[in-house]
Amino acid sequence: MGTLIQGGKVVSAASTQQADVLIEGEKIAQVAPRIDPAGHTVVDATGLLVLPGGIDVHTHLDMPFGGTMSADDYEWGTRAAAIGGTTTIIDFAIQSMGKPMSEALATWLAKAKDKACIDYALHMVVTDLGPNDAWLDDIDRMVAEGVTSFKIFMAYPNVLMVNDAMIFKLMQRTAKLGALVCVHAENGTVIDVVVQQALAAGKTGPLYHALTRSVLAEAEAVHRVIAIAEMAGKAPVYIVHVSCAESMQEVAAARQRGLPVTAETCIQYLVLSIEDDMGKPGFEDAKYVFTPPLREKKNQQPLWQALHDDVLQVVSTDHCPFRFADQKTLGLGNFTKIPNGGPAIENRMQLTYHHGVNEGRMSLERFVEVTAEAPAKIFGMYPKKGIIAAGSDADILLWDPAARYTITAATQNMHTDYSIFEGFQVIGNARQVYSRGELVVEEGKFIGRVGRGEFLHREVAAR
Ligand code: URP
Ligand code: ZN
Ligand code: ZN
């Protein structure tokens, strides 16, 4: 006996079809125009879309950063994700300087254990290749452990930033393995000079976080890292949080040349801007201090177009929440001390659907592709995740395309005392969420067991 989702429209990147979906145990057993309901529990999906659970490949849960910890741990962050229709995340384990990567992996697996409400995977943030580059071999070990993507920061000097030599060596190794290097691309050393000059001139408020990090600083780093990857043997590269047209154009040029470059933008860059959301009185702008910063509004349309045209493949969140009252205020009087990051994990699917599909910027099929199918393929989880097909995990959203919802901190599940999307009204929301066959969200409430989420051992993706 299984659960039969009957009468909905099943959507993939390739098509939308009226079909029934049979769940047996943790898996999808059958997808067909009509499945005999005898012996099954029937769920009526008439009028609903049946979508693969969302995959957010860029989150920072329980992360030490900016002198504090991100406000959502694995329980709260994954609960909020599930309520918003995301059933898989990829979070970041961060290698400590002077320590092997295996230690970071163990630390982050412990953070997630008994807490994660949905399935999770990890990228490894590489900060140190060790004495005589001895820890390059850790890369192979991580891949064997199912951590098939690595992350480097070209920003945050003296904290996470790595130099070009290290990037090159890392990429020579990942190119051989086919593993992916995710890149935070910003010219950290130039930005640091601009930041120090701003502070010296008394420009200490939160808006200066945005004004000291130019689009050129981002685009230059995107260009440079793609060139380094090519020199290293055409290493596969994934540019995270592309925030502006200039960076997107670097990605477009690389893809046009046939290089294995993929990239994401985040929902905040698609719907928020300096003009609409910053320049507020007092310290309010600190709520929007994340990196890269919000950009001028003129960048939004090119980013949407790039998603449409497959120059960008993924919408993620870079969810890195900090409370305003006691965390963002660490930077009162000095914007460099404001913890960088914002809350978004709960709202990605709603906002991408509303501003993408409802407002005519992308098709329903492309929505499924950028929020689930492409992330699964790029990060080595497909077809286990990212599609509604026989044999795949039963990670399924019953999506009500007519549901109206207003985003507000008053009712959100993320553990921040504000929302960067406060007052946004969307149409389209998850009515039910299944994770590996289990109904975990019903009408906006998490009803699953905390700690049920499993670590995903990922493969090296075919490219
Ligand atoms: O401001 C951000 N994005 N915080 C998280 C770290 C990062 O750069 O992704
Ligand atoms: Zn980043
Ligand atoms: Zn990030």
Side-chain angles (χ1 to χ4, degrees):
M1 171 160 167
T3 300
L4 182 64
I5 298 173
Q6 201 177 51
K9 277 189 189 155
V10 177
V11 188
S12 72
S15 68
T16 300
Q17 296 172 14
Q18 198 80 39
D20 295 348
V21 178
L22 180 62
I23 301 172
E24 282 180 355
E26 298 191 346
K27 299 281 182 190
I28 296 168
Q30 196 185 353
V31 182
R34 181 163 160 75
I35 299 174
D36 183 354
H40 302 307
T41 303
V42 174
V43 177
D44 182 10
T46 308
L48 302 179
L49 302 174
V50 184
L51 311 179
I55 301 178
D56 188 345
V57 300
H58 190 158
T59 69
H60 300 277
L61 302 179
D62 204 1
M63 181 178 88
F65 200 49
T68 183
M69 299 293 287
S70 59
D72 281 327
D73 67 3
Y74 269 78
E75 177 180 341
W76 289 105
T78 57
R79 182 195 299 253
I83 289 168
T86 288
T87 53
T88 301
I89 61 162
I90 312 185
D91 206 76
F92 295 89
I94 304 178
Q95 182 197 19
S96 298
M97 292 291 278
K99 300 275 169 63
M101 295 175 208
S102 52
E103 189 178 293
L105 179 58
T107 301
W108 257 265
L109 289 175
K111 284 174 189 273
K113 191 170 161 23
D114 300 329
K115 286 195 169 183
C117 300
I118 54 171
D119 292 348
Y120 57 96
L122 289 167
H123 313 279
M124 178 59 61
V125 176
V126 181
T127 61
D128 189 356
L129 291 181
N132 302 318
D133 299 331
W135 295 342
L136 271 174
D137 290 341
D138 275 16
I139 306 283
D140 304 55
R141 290 186 200 108
M142 289 301 113
V143 169
E145 300 271 2
V147 177
T148 55
S149 49
F150 299 84
K151 167 87 176 280
I152 50 159
F153 286 89
M154 300 171 83
Y156 308 130
N158 306 315
V159 185
L160 293 166
M161 190 173 110
V162 294
N163 64 28
D164 293 352
M166 192 175 139
I167 296 173
F168 182 66
K169 288 179 202 168
L170 169 71
M171 286 183 167
Q172 283 183 314
R173 183 63 67 101
T174 56
K176 284 204 185 96
L177 297 167
L180 189 60
V181 178
C182 306
V183 186
H184 174 132
E186 278 188 308
N187 188 319
T189 46
V190 169
I191 288 171
D192 209 30
V193 173
V194 180
V195 164
Q196 295 314 320
Q197 289 171 349
L199 290 176
K203 297 171 176 171
T204 57
L207 182 60
Y208 288 101
H209 172 80
L211 301 184
T212 53
R213 309 185 85 91
S214 69
V215 293
L216 278 183
E218 183 180 325
E220 182 279 328
V222 173
H223 181 91
R224 179 162 34 108
V225 82
I226 290 172
I228 293 171
E230 188 171 4
M231 288 186 275
K234 297 195 177 168
V237 174
Y238 178 86
I239 309 293
V240 303
H241 49 43
V242 170
S243 71
C244 56
E246 286 82 352
S247 300
M248 177 275 288
Q249 282 151 7
E250 294 291 348
V251 173
R255 288 176 62 79
Q256 202 137 36
R257 290 176 51 229
L259 293 173
V261 176
T262 46
E264 66 179 24
T265 188
C266 305
I267 188 60
Q268 53 271 29
Y269 304 115
L270 293 166
V271 301
L272 305 179
S273 65
I274 292 191
E275 293 95 318
D276 289 348
D277 302 285
M278 296 193 80
K280 295 195 172 113
F283 195 59
E284 278 291 291
D285 285 345
K287 293 176 178 172
Y288 302 90
V289 167
F290 36 75
T291 307
L294 283 183
R295 301 300 190 186
E296 290 177 74
K297 204 172 170 65
K298 66 181 182 193
N299 289 283
Q300 290 176 354
Q301 195 278 333
L303 292 178
W304 280 111
Q305 190 64 42
L307 280 169
H308 178 274
D309 297 344
D310 201 36
V311 169
L312 302 177
Q313 292 71 42
V314 174
V315 177
S316 71
T317 60
D318 194 7
H319 176 76
C320 188
F322 297 102
R323 293 176 299 276
F324 183 70
D326 63 320
Q327 294 187 296
K328 290 287 185 180
T329 46
L330 292 170
L332 270 168
N334 182 343
F335 69 85
T336 66
K337 304 264 190 277
I338 301 169
N340 285 201
I345 203 167
E346 190 170 342
N347 306 122
R348 178 184 69 118
M349 300 293 283
Q350 300 156 346
L351 287 165
T352 310
Y353 183 84
H354 183 79
H355 293 279
V357 180
N358 289 348
E359 294 188 348
R361 296 185 177 96
M362 64 172 67
S363 67
L364 183 56
E365 293 80 11
R366 185 64 179 159
F367 165 72
V368 165
E369 192 163 25
V370 299
T371 57
E373 192 166 319
K377 285 179 173 162
I378 292 169
F379 288 95
M381 298 183 281
Y382 186 85
K384 179 177 168 65
K385 305 288 189 190
I387 187 150
I388 297 190
S392 296
D393 281 0
D395 291 357
I396 298 173
L397 311 183
L398 297 196
W399 188 265
D400 181 351
R404 289 175 180 271
Y405 184 72
T406 302
I407 298 173
T408 171
T411 57
Q412 75 184 4
N413 296 276
M414 301 177 289
H415 265 195
T416 49
D417 49 0
Y418 73 96
S419 168
I420 55 177
F421 309 113
E422 185 67 37
F424 270 65
Q425 297 184 342
V426 292
I427 303 177
N429 208 355
R431 184 184 291 181
Q432 286 191 340
V433 178
Y434 293 82
S435 167
R436 271 183 293 103
E438 186 184 334
L439 180 63
V440 292
V441 174
E442 175 104 70
E443 299 285 2
K445 296 266 175 305
F446 182 74
I447 55 171
R449 184 178 59 80
V450 172
R452 58 171 296 288
E454 289 181 355
F455 173 68
L456 286 162
H457 186 286
R458 290 181 291 128
E459 307 299 323
V460 168
R463 282 176 233 288

